[in-house]
């Protein structure tokens, strides 16, 4: 139960830190929101597990406050004989058709079965060894057996959200430094091509005026 509580607290802290931070871009904000949604789902699952755990403990945990032995009934034990019988029936030791609230021979035999199977005592008599009596050791064993919660299935792990990666736009080199004869004059780039004024010039065409006789 401690692990579940720690998980809930950690998830809430992480969600709070996400909510208080501002994304630097729409893409970052979308990725953060997806992670927050995933964490919220985990918190809900942990809360459900915690509720089920607490409910299981409250419904099945048997704590007996007094020594129970043959001849007692619910009226003199505040209903603890019935609690004992219900527990022993859940363990398969008490085979009487109904819960009677009376500690008779069948209940004593059921206690003896439980004691022997769990290593409390396996011989003797109620008066000498407590065999068939729900004494301090037997009651402690009943509590230890009944108050252990049923293991819960682990919550599925949500994979981390990976934002899509946008490929960088390739940078185009100026035509006078791209190692291509862009104007088809057989001369490539600055300074070989007379149309180029510098390496950053983006036009290889020679735009100088030429004089000719007519």
């Amino acid at each position: 139960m401690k692990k579940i509580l720690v998980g809930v607290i950690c998830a809430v802290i992480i969600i709070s830190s996400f909510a208080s931070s501002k994304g630097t871009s729409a893409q970052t904000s979308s990725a953060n929101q997806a992670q927050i949604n995933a964490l919220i789902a985990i918190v809900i699952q942990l809360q459900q597990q915690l509720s089920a755990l607490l409910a299981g403990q409250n419904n099945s945990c048997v704590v007996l406050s007094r020594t129970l032995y043959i001849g007692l009934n619910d009226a003199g034990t505040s209903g603890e004989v019935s609690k004992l019988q219900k527990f022993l029936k859940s363990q398969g030791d008490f085979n009487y058709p109904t819960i009677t609230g009376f500690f008779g021979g069948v209940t004593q035999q059921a206690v003896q079965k439980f004691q022997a199977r769990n290593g409390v005592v396996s011989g003797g008599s109620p008066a000498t060894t407590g065999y068939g009596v729900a004494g301090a050791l037997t009651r402690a064993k009943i509590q230890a057996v009944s108050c252990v919660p049923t293991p819960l299935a682990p919550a599925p792990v949500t994979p981390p959200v990976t934002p899509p990666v946008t490929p960088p736009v390739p940078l185009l080199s100026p035509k006078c430094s791209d190692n291509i004869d862009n104007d088809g004059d057989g001369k490539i780039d600055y300074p070989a091509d007379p149309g180029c004024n510098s390496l950053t010039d983006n036009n290889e065409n020679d735009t100088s005026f030429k004089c000719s006789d007519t």
Side-chain angles (χ1 to χ4, degrees), residues 3-68:
K3 291 183 178 179
I4 296 177
L5 286 172
V6 171
V8 172
I9 293 171
C10 290
V12 170
I13 292 174
I14 294 172
I15 292 173
S16 299
S17 64
F18 269 113
S20 61
S21 62
K22 294 182 179 179
T24 56
S25 64
Q27 181 178 342
T28 301
S29 177
S30 176
N32 286 345
Q33 186 59 50
Q35 290 179 342
I36 290 174
N37 292 340
L39 288 169
I40 290 174
I42 293 175
V43 169
I44 292 173
Q45 290 172 345
L46 291 173
Q47 289 174 334
Q48 291 173 345
Q49 286 189 351
L50 182 59
S51 298
L53 178 61
L54 294 175
Q57 286 183 330
N58 292 336
N59 291 334
S60 65
C61 190
V62 178
V63 180
L64 301 174
S65 61
R66 67 191 72 200
T67 298
L68 302 175

Side-chain angles (χ1 to χ4, degrees), residues 77-90:
T77 62
S78 300
E80 289 203 349
V81 173
S82 286
K83 287 176 63 177
L84 174 63
Q85 290 176 334
K86 289 176 182 178
F87 168 76
L88 293 172
K89 196 172 190 66
S90 72

Side-chain angles (χ1 to χ4, degrees), residues 112-122 137-138 141:
Q112 291 172 338
K113 291 178 184 178
F114 175 80
Q115 289 172 324
R117 190 177 65 256
N118 288 276
V120 179
V121 61
S122 59
L137 292 179
T138 302
K141 178 60 70 172

Side-chain angles (χ1 to χ4, degrees), residues 87-126:
F87 168 76
L88 293 172
K89 196 172 190 66
S90 72
Q91 299 294 303
D93 299 319
F94 184 74
N95 54 18
Y96 198 76
T98 60
I99 303 300
T100 64
F102 175 75
F103 198 125
V106 176
T107 304
Q108 180 174 279
Q109 290 175 0
V111 171
Q112 291 172 338
K113 291 178 184 178
F114 175 80
Q115 289 172 324
R117 190 177 65 256
N118 288 276
V120 179
V121 61
S122 59
S125 67

Side-chain angles (χ1 to χ4, degrees), residues 95-182:
N95 54 18
Y96 198 76
T98 60
I99 303 300
T100 64
F102 175 75
F103 198 125
V106 176
T107 304
Q108 180 174 279
Q109 290 175 0
V111 171
Q112 291 172 338
K113 291 178 184 178
F114 175 80
Q115 289 172 324
R117 190 177 65 256
N118 288 276
V120 179
V121 61
S122 59
S125 67
T128 58
T129 62
Y131 190 42
V133 175
L137 292 179
T138 302
R139 298 199 312 273
K141 178 60 70 172
I142 290 174
Q143 183 173 344
V145 171
S146 65
C147 296
V148 176
T150 303
L152 298 173
V157 178
T158 304
V161 178
T162 303
V165 178
T166 303
V169 179
L171 298 177
L172 300 177
S173 301
K175 292 183 178 180
C176 285
S177 57
D178 61 359
N179 202 30
I180 299 174
D181 184 7
N182 294 286

